[in-house]
Amino acid sequence: MAEQDDLKILVSVSPDELKAYITLYKGDANNNVTKEDMLRALAIQRIIYGIKEDVLKQYAEKPVYNQQICVAEGVAAQNGKNGEVKYHFNTTVANIPTILDDGRINYRELNLIQSVKEGQILCTLEPALMGTNGMTVKGRTLNAVNGKPAVLPRGKNVAVSKDGQALYAATEGEVEYLDATKVSVYTNHEVPADVDNSTGNISFVGSVIIKGNVLSGFTVEAGGNVEVYGVVEGATIKAGGNIILRRGMQGMGKGTLVAGGDIVARYIEYCNVEAKNNIQSEAVLHSNIKCGNKLELTGRKGLLVGGSCKVGKIIIAKVIGSHMATPTDLEVGIDPTVREDYKKAKDELVSMESDIKKADQAITLLKKLEAAGALTPDKQEILTKSVRTKIFLSSRLEEVKREIDVLDEKLKQDGDGKIRGTSFIYPGVKVTIGTCVMYVKENLQYCTLYRDGADIRVGAIDK
């Protein structure tokens, strides 16, 4: 505080020294206060920074008495900002069901798993910002605090980029975020209990392990293997690798298993099952089976009853069919996919021949109109399209015919499959090996069915 000319000028400073004020009082002499007078008063109080000379000039020209006026202002220190980790995946997965277009809620699609691919960026660093020092009106430096750099939350199966500023997945799998301290990628996704409304459907790029059951109506899809410790009901399981059911599957006529490798299950009942390689179980009952290599029924039962089985090479079972002559349809010797491709090609051939016939009829009719000079622009466009369609279909027709010839040759060349019954093969069993068909009409024991030319023979069990 300073007084001049009989208390005409009073200087005060804020506690943080970021502002200085002048208050003018009329003295006994009633002298006017000049700008220089106020500068001297500020200098006495060591006010040297941020002085507002324009305010002082205005104050001197039009003085205001008994009122505090800010005439100097310092600069506050600006602290820096800490660096941050920016996440490129959802760190707060909520158990929220999907709402369908018609407004219904699908509680089976909860989207609880976040799958990532190898090389996918998981998080990046945003740099820390440096602070800016401040200055008081008395010229004292106010030191700012600089921001601290963030640290990448490196966990398992992740890698740091060369510049150290990003974290990416070192393998494909499920990304997991733990309290902002670790980001990891796991190649296996484990469901600790049942697949039900609490988990929703499972879709994962890696392997899935389910410690409980898979309830009816739910779907599990995995790029790797699927292993289920409990029972699978009328659900759908699709795996790029193997499917292992430690107990089995009671499909209720709507259960489906599809594997890019093998399928192993204790029992399979009323299901649709497809494996690219082998299927192994203790019992397969009333199911539709497809596998590219071997179907083997082992264990205490070794039972294959009802349904249809299309197997690439060999079927091995203790008991095939039943003493009640349950219809059981077996096909071996041809990869099921070859037969299916052959059927699709034949169906496409019939459809294209019909379409070409229709195009020919349209072209003939329109040509007659063109010859009579009665072809309108619309009909001219139809004619052009019909000609193009015929050219395209004719070209595709030749391709399909060549495909059929190749598949037909495969069907003729294959057919060396076998069916081995280590105990009984009962009547009611239909056997197809390649293009040969046989109906079992009496009980067969300890034998192998194989193809011999145009016939199916019953040979020794080790045939």
Side-chain angles (χ1 to χ4, degrees):
M1 182 180 295
E3 298 179 12
Q4 275 191 352
D5 297 335
D6 198 15
L7 297 177
K8 284 185 180 179
I9 302 175
L10 178 67
V11 177
S12 59
V13 181
S14 63
D16 58 7
E17 296 186 1
L18 288 177
K19 289 185 179 180
Y21 304 90
I22 281 180
T23 305
L24 296 183
Y25 295 96
K26 284 187 176 180
D28 293 338
N30 199 22
N31 295 329
N32 290 330
V33 178
T34 65
K35 175 182 175 183
E36 287 70 21
D37 293 334
M38 289 184 280
L39 287 172
R40 280 195 297 274
L42 292 174
I44 291 172
Q45 293 298 318
R46 298 179 182 175
I47 309 301
I48 60 174
Y49 181 82
I51 297 173
K52 302 179 180 181
E53 299 203 16
D54 56 337
V55 174
L56 294 177
K57 181 180 177 183
Q58 183 180 357
Y59 205 18
E61 292 174 354
K62 296 179 180 180
V64 177
Y65 296 99
N66 303 319
Q67 182 175 335
Q68 197 176 57
I69 303 295
C70 181
V71 294
E73 193 166 355
V75 176
Q78 298 292 327
N79 289 334
K81 181 182 177 183
N82 290 338
E84 294 181 353
V85 178
K86 183 178 180 182
Y87 295 94
H88 298 278
F89 62 93
N90 188 358
T91 59
T92 56
V93 177
N95 190 352
I96 300 174
T98 301
I99 299 177
L100 303 176
D101 292 338
D102 59 5
R104 291 183 295 115
I105 297 176
N106 184 359
Y107 287 97
R108 291 175 181 168
E109 295 294 343
L110 299 181
N111 304 313
L112 296 180
I113 300 175
Q114 291 193 81
S115 297
V116 294
K117 296 180 179 179
E118 183 178 352
Q120 182 174 329
I121 297 296
L122 303 177
C123 54
T124 51
L125 290 180
E126 294 192 348
L129 298 180
M130 303 296 287
T132 304
N133 290 340
M135 184 73 70
T136 69
V137 293
K138 291 188 176 183
R140 180 170 60 85
T141 299
L142 297 175
N143 294 320
V145 178
N146 293 326
K148 296 179 180 179
V151 178
L152 287 170
R154 185 175 182 180
K156 296 180 179 179
N157 295 322
V158 296
V160 179
S161 61
K162 290 182 178 180
D163 60 4
Q165 299 300 301
L167 203 64
Y168 62 89
T171 183
E172 66 176 8
E174 178 186 10
V175 62
E176 188 173 287
Y177 169 82
L178 295 174
D179 302 327
T181 59
K182 297 288 183 183
V183 171
S184 298
V185 177
Y186 295 100
T187 54
N188 293 337
H189 173 72
E190 183 172 305
V191 180
D194 295 345
V195 174
D196 53 19
N197 283 327
S198 67
T199 64
N201 294 331
I202 305 294
S203 180
F204 183 52
V205 296
S207 296
V208 175
I209 300 172
I210 300 165
K211 292 299 182 72
N213 306 319
V214 181
L215 302 192
S216 184
F218 287 90
T219 298
V220 177
E221 295 186 25
N225 301 328
V226 174
E227 184 173 3
V228 183
Y229 282 65
V231 175
V232 181
E233 297 179 358
T236 298
I237 298 180
K238 296 181 179 180
N242 304 323
I243 295 176
I244 301 170
L245 309 183
R246 295 203 176 198
R247 293 182 66 180
M249 183 169 190
Q250 173 53 265
M252 297 179 284
K254 55 184 179 180
T256 301
L257 300 176
V258 180
D262 298 338
I263 294 177
V264 179
R266 181 169 293 180
Y267 62 85
I268 297 171
E269 297 182 16
Y270 297 95
C271 305
N272 296 302
V273 182
E274 183 175 344
K276 192 170 184 180
N277 197 23
N278 301 324
I279 297 176
Q280 184 175 351
S281 180
E282 290 186 15
V284 172
L285 306 177
H286 308 286
S287 299
N288 297 316
I289 305 293
K290 294 179 185 176
C291 67
N293 190 32
K294 178 171 66 173
L295 170 63
E296 186 171 10
L297 287 305
T298 58
R300 185 171 54 85
K301 294 181 180 179
L303 189 61
L304 175 57
V305 180
S308 68
C309 299
K310 298 177 180 180
V311 180
K313 293 184 178 179
I314 188 170
I315 296 175
I316 302 173
K318 282 187 177 180
V319 178
I320 301 175
S322 73
H323 63 278
M324 298 177 64
T326 304
T328 306
D329 191 353
L330 309 181
E331 292 185 23
V332 293
I334 297 172
D335 190 330
T337 56
V338 174
R339 193 181 293 275
E340 288 175 3
D341 290 344
Y342 181 79
K343 185 179 182 303
K344 287 178 183 177
K346 291 289 283 186
D347 291 343
E348 186 179 358
L349 182 67
V350 172
S351 176
M352 283 192 296
E353 286 175 342
S354 175
D355 290 341
I356 289 173
K357 185 176 180 181
K358 290 176 183 177
D360 275 334
Q361 291 173 347
I363 291 169
T364 301
L365 179 61
L366 293 169
K367 287 287 188 181
K368 287 180 180 178
L369 290 175
E370 186 179 40
L375 195 65
T376 63
D378 289 344
K379 287 186 170 57
Q380 177 64 54
E381 187 176 350
I382 294 172
L383 175 60
T384 303
K385 287 183 178 179
S386 297
V387 172
R388 288 176 180 171
T389 299
K390 181 182 177 182
I391 293 171
F392 170 76
L393 290 176
S394 298
S395 175
R396 176 60 186 155
L397 186 70
E398 293 305 315
E399 291 178 11
V400 172
K401 284 182 178 178
R402 288 193 292 270
E403 289 175 12
I404 290 174
D405 289 340
V406 172
L407 293 171
D408 190 47
E409 194 62 32
K410 280 188 177 182
L411 291 173
K412 289 176 181 178
Q413 288 177 357
D414 291 339
D416 59 347
K418 296 177 182 179
I419 297 173
R420 183 173 297 154
T422 59
S423 184
F424 285 96
I425 302 177
Y426 288 103
V429 175
K430 177 188 174 184
V431 176
T432 303
I433 303 179
T435 56
C436 301
V437 179
M438 169 186 171
Y439 293 88
V440 177
K441 296 181 180 179
E442 60 182 5
N443 290 352
L444 301 175
Q445 286 185 273
Y446 315 115
C447 63
T448 298
L449 306 182
Y450 64 96
R451 180 177 173 179
D452 182 13
D455 298 319
I456 295 177
R457 304 290 186 189
V458 180
I461 195 169
D462 57 353
K463 170 67 179 178

